[in-house]
Amino acid sequence: MAEKVKGVGLFGLIGLVVSSCIGSGVFALTGQLANVAAPGSALVAWLICGAGFLFLALSLANLGAKRPDIDGIYQYATAGFGPFSGFLSGWGYWLSAWLGNVGFATMVAQVFGSLMPGVFATETGDPNIAAIVCVSVFLWLLTFLVINGVESAAFLNAIVMVVKIASILLFILFAIFTFKAGIFTEDFWGTMGRNATVMMVSDGEVELGDVSTQVTNCILIMMWVFIGIEGATVMSKRAEKKSDVGKATIIGLIVLLVLYIGASVLPYGVMPYEELVAAPKPATITVFEAMAPGWGGTFISVAIIISVLGSWLSFTMLPAETSSGMSEDHLLPASWNKMNSKNAPRMALIIVAACTQVFLIIAFTAEDAYTFAISMCTVTIAITWAFAAAYQVKYALQNHETSQLIFGIIALLFQVVGVLFTGWGFLLLACLGYIPGFFFYSQGRKEGGITAISGSEKIAMVIISLLGVISIPLTAVGIIPVF
């Protein structure tokens, strides 16, 4: 009799959720949030985001338990609304995964600029051509490592996971001991001196606006750090107990919220607001150096590089794996699923690397390359999350599950409203990324025996394409603030 393979236990699933989510975002939160919100408003935004992702996590856990036959999060859209919806969801996930790599690359470039400003940064502190070349080398090196099967080296992920958690916890511990309540509560809601007049800092002007504006400006930044919350759900078939999937997702979410809130809110009480906003990106380096002079900045810089490269390695394979699955479902051509001798989809990986390289160059022309990259990454995966939440609503209606219906509705509203209110411009830009995808979708359907695209699919393609084209002049005139 064959030995029964033991599944992934509760702690393993929790670790999967936490490690999937923690990448570069937690290290950038300190400065990003300080630029748009006071501590009180940031805490309100965390409460809203935490609740929104809790209901998404509950929805994913429910679907994972009740539809274990579905592999890949994009297949929820296919199961609920047909192949074209599955393509929209899967292509959004594919775009998001490699756009996340652009975010990782810009973060590494910023850290290099902080460590060696004369070599990898301009006079204003922004990454220069040398930084772009350096991270481009990392991009192609990681790509060819994955092509040769390095993604199977699990010990690399284990090492990276330890570095991530240990460095964040150490940062939070130092922040607790150096925390000053007077600095933290000086203008808790950002509606006093900072809002009465425009505050001048070393690299420009900062005007927070009222509390609702501050909270709104936080949402898209915060959504980025929850990419990967679906980790335990994706692995539900391998779970030792199906009931552990929901528990792991919720516990993992709580762990993430503690880490994120500690790392992003405590610094408000460590440094004066003006210094926090003026700190070079990522601000975590400046804050840790202030807390631990002489070694703190270097320590957190090394931790960021190790953490980001680990996530970058994982995210190099994610889009290729997604496109391979879509190819098997005839949502993309069969060539996207062609494997080499190492069982890696070489063509898909090279396409991802090429797209990342082009977008990396474009991103560095943006006013804030990192924020631009992660905003594009977030709005595209929000499409996938929204389809999953919509399927949760449909499934709950079909099976008369009232509580699950409420979970799905709240999760869907959070994704749709969150993106439309905070990232509508980036969503229009993302529509441009769908235009070449429509050609590949049509080719994949033909290979699957579907010779004609339906009328409704054609209409949807035209609308999405027009929205993408509209984003070009809106970006050029500054309505969509990118450059």
Side-chain angles (χ1 to χ4, degrees):
M1 177 181 285
E3 183 179 351
K4 184 179 179 181
V5 178
K6 186 178 181 180
V8 181
L10 176 61
F11 288 107
L13 292 170
I14 294 172
L16 184 62
V17 172
V18 175
S19 62
S20 297
C21 289
I22 294 178
S24 65
V26 65
F27 299 104
L29 281 172
T30 299
Q32 286 185 299
L33 294 186
N35 274 274
V36 298
S41 303
L43 285 170
V44 172
W46 276 124
L47 179 63
I48 295 172
C49 258
F53 278 100
L54 172 62
F55 288 109
L56 176 63
L58 289 170
S59 297
L60 291 175
N62 178 62
L63 292 175
K66 295 177 180 176
R67 290 299 310 269
D69 55 306
I70 293 179
D71 297 322
I73 190 171
Y74 72 90
Q75 290 187 347
Y76 291 135
T78 304
F81 311 103
F84 186 68
S85 295
F87 163 76
L88 293 178
S89 177
W91 193 258
Y93 195 86
W94 181 80
L95 288 172
S96 175
W98 65 260
L99 284 168
N101 285 342
V102 178
F104 297 145
T106 54
M107 170 64 79
V108 171
Q110 288 174 355
V111 174
F112 282 167
S114 175
L115 289 173
M116 292 176 281
V119 179
F120 293 113
T122 63
E123 293 181 358
T124 59
D126 296 320
N128 58 15
I129 298 296
I132 298 175
V133 172
C134 186
V135 295
S136 296
V137 171
F138 274 119
L139 163 65
W140 289 101
L141 178 61
L142 286 173
T143 298
F144 286 112
L145 284 174
V146 174
I147 286 175
N148 285 282
V150 172
E151 76 280 359
S152 62
F155 72 94
L156 288 175
N157 283 330
I159 293 172
V160 170
M161 181 63 192
V162 171
V163 172
K164 287 179 184 180
I165 300 299
S167 58
I168 295 169
L169 288 176
L170 187 62
F171 178 85
I172 292 174
L173 184 64
F174 269 74
I176 291 173
F177 281 109
T178 57
F179 185 85
K180 299 178 182 66
I183 296 177
F184 187 75
T185 59
E186 183 179 4
D187 188 5
F188 190 69
W189 296 106
T191 54
M192 295 170 59
R194 299 178 196 163
N195 205 38
T197 58
V198 176
M199 173 170 286
M200 300 296 297
V201 295
S202 62
D203 59 349
E205 300 178 348
V206 174
E207 186 174 13
L208 297 180
D210 58 22
V211 173
S212 61
T213 300
Q214 295 177 51
V215 171
T216 300
N217 290 336
C218 287
I219 298 298
L220 195 63
I221 295 171
M222 293 177 175
M223 290 176 71
W224 153 253
V225 297
F226 287 104
I227 292 177
I229 195 68
E230 69 279 355
T233 305
V234 173
M235 294 291 289
S236 61
K237 289 203 303 182
R238 300 179 184 272
E240 189 175 332
K241 297 179 181 178
K242 291 293 184 182
S243 59
D244 285 345
V245 173
K247 294 177 185 176
T249 304
I250 296 170
I251 295 172
L253 178 63
I254 294 171
V255 171
L256 288 168
L257 282 171
V258 170
L259 293 175
Y260 291 160
I261 293 173
S264 64
V265 177
L266 287 174
Y268 281 101
V270 173
M271 297 176 62
Y273 178 79
E274 295 87 347
E275 295 180 19
L276 197 57
V277 174
K281 302 178 181 68
T284 308
I285 296 174
T286 303
V287 176
F288 209 169
E289 180 64 28
M291 295 188 296
W295 65 273
T298 302
F299 171 83
I300 204 69
S301 295
V302 173
I304 291 173
I305 291 173
I306 294 174
S307 176
V308 171
L309 289 180
S311 298
W312 196 348
L313 177 63
S314 298
F315 271 65
T316 297
M317 200 60 195
L318 270 176
E321 286 295 308
T322 301
S323 59
S324 294
M326 292 174 69
S327 177
E328 291 179 356
D329 294 340
H330 302 297
L331 302 180
L332 289 176
S335 57
W336 287 60
N337 193 34
K338 187 176 181 180
M339 301 292 175
N340 63 8
S341 59
K342 301 290 186 179
N343 199 34
R346 177 183 296 175
M347 176 181 170
L349 285 164
I350 292 176
I351 290 173
V352 166
C355 290
T356 305
Q357 180 68 79
V358 171
F359 214 84
L360 181 61
I361 296 172
I362 295 173
F364 274 107
T365 65
E367 183 178 355
D368 184 343
Y370 179 76
T371 300
F372 174 58
I374 68 166
S375 297
M376 291 296 298
C377 176
T378 303
V379 298
T380 46
I381 199 171
I383 296 169
T384 307
W385 285 337
F387 269 114
Y391 181 56
Q392 161 81 352
V393 172
K394 181 176 181 179
Y395 189 88
L397 280 171
Q398 291 174 336
N399 293 275
H400 309 290
E401 300 174 341
T402 304
S403 60
Q404 295 297 335
L405 175 62
I406 294 172
F407 294 165
I409 290 174
I410 296 175
L412 179 60
L413 286 175
F414 173 73
Q415 297 300 325
V416 173
V417 174
V419 169
L420 291 181
F421 269 78
T422 66
W424 64 268
F426 295 108
L427 184 61
L428 290 181
L429 284 172
C431 290
L432 280 174
Y434 274 92
I435 295 176
F438 295 145
F439 168 76
F440 295 118
Y441 172 73
S442 301
Q443 188 177 351
R445 298 307 287 162
K446 287 180 182 179
E447 292 180 1
I450 309 299
T451 57
I453 301 298
S454 69
S456 60
E457 290 177 345
K458 290 179 180 178
I459 292 173
M461 290 179 182
V462 170
I463 293 174
I464 293 171
S465 299
L466 287 175
L467 290 174
V469 171
I470 289 172
S471 71
I472 298 175
L474 292 179
T475 302
V477 299
I479 295 177
I480 300 178
V482 174
F483 304 107

